[in-house]
C-alpha cells in the first residue's frame, strides 16, 4: 500500500485466489471486499477481525493490516508479486526469508493488467 491505498489490482489474480480457496473459506475485511464487489463467491467471509476469525485450513487475503502478531497461527503463506516496482509505505510484515519459512513452490502467470505475476508459496 502507498498513502493508504492499494497499488494495483488484477482480475486474473482475484480469480486465481478464488480458485485456490473454492473448497475452503476466504476471510477478508471491508477494505478488501471492494475488490470482490462484483463477485458472488460463497467462500468469502467479511469481518474486520478476520485474522482472529479464520480457523485452521482457511485463508485470509491481507492488504492493509499487520500479519506479524498472528504469525504463530499461520500455516502457509502465498505471496503474489508483480513484475514491476510500486512505491509503498505499508508492507507484508512476516520475514519469509528467515529460518522458519521455506519456499515450497513458485509459479508465474499472466494477469489481466500485468504481463507476469509470480505466486510464491511458503511453508514451515
Amino acid at each position: 500500500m502507498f498513502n493508504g491505498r492499494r497499488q494495483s489490482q488484477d482480475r486474473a489474480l482475484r480469480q486465481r485466489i478464488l480458485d485456490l480457496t473454492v473448497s475452503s473459506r476466504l476471510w477478508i475485511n471491508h477494505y478488501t471486499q471492494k475488490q470482490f464487489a462484483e463477485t458472488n463467491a460463497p467462500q468469502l467471509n467479511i469481518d474486520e477481525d478476520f485474522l482472529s476469525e479464520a480457523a485452521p485450513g482457511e485463508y485470509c487475503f491481507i492488504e492493509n493490516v499487520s500479519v506479524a502478531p498472528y504469525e504463530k497461527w499461520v500455516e502457509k503463506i502465498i505471496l503474489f508479486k508483480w513484475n514491476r516496482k510500486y512505491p509503498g509505505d505499508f508492507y507484508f510484515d512476516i520475514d519469509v526469508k528467515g529460518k522458519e519459512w521455506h519456499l515450497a513452490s513458485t509459479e508465474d502467470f499472466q494477469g489481466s493488467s500485468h504481463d507476469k505475476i509470480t505466486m510464491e508459496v511458503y511453508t514451515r
Side-chain angles (χ1 to χ4, degrees), residues 3 10 15 19-20 24 26 28 43 47 50 55 68 83 88 90 103 112 116:
N3 259 351
D10 188 282
Q15 188 58 53
D19 291 345
L20 285 169
S24 186
L26 174 58
I28 60 176
Q43 72 263 42
D47 192 298
F50 69 109
N83 64 332
F90 184 81
L103 181 62
S112 60
K116 181 175 119 180

Side-chain angles (χ1 to χ4, degrees), residues 26-69:
L26 174 58
W27 289 92
I28 60 176
N29 61 13
H30 287 93
Y31 178 80
T32 299
Q33 179 185 13
K34 297 170 192 170
Q35 285 207 58
F36 295 94
E38 297 177 12
T39 304
N40 189 17
Q43 72 263 42
L44 287 177
N45 292 272
I46 304 147
D47 192 298
E48 287 308 304
D49 199 26
F50 69 109
L51 288 168
S52 295
E53 294 292 327
E58 296 180 341
Y59 295 84
C60 295
F61 186 125
I62 311 299
E63 284 193 282
N64 64 340
V65 295
S66 172
V67 186

Side-chain angles (χ1 to χ4, degrees), residues 11 25 48-49 53 68 80 108 110 115:
R11 287 185 317 278
R25 286 188 174 172
E48 287 308 304
D49 199 26
E53 294 292 327
F80 293 95
D108 293 332
Q110 184 166 353
D115 293 334

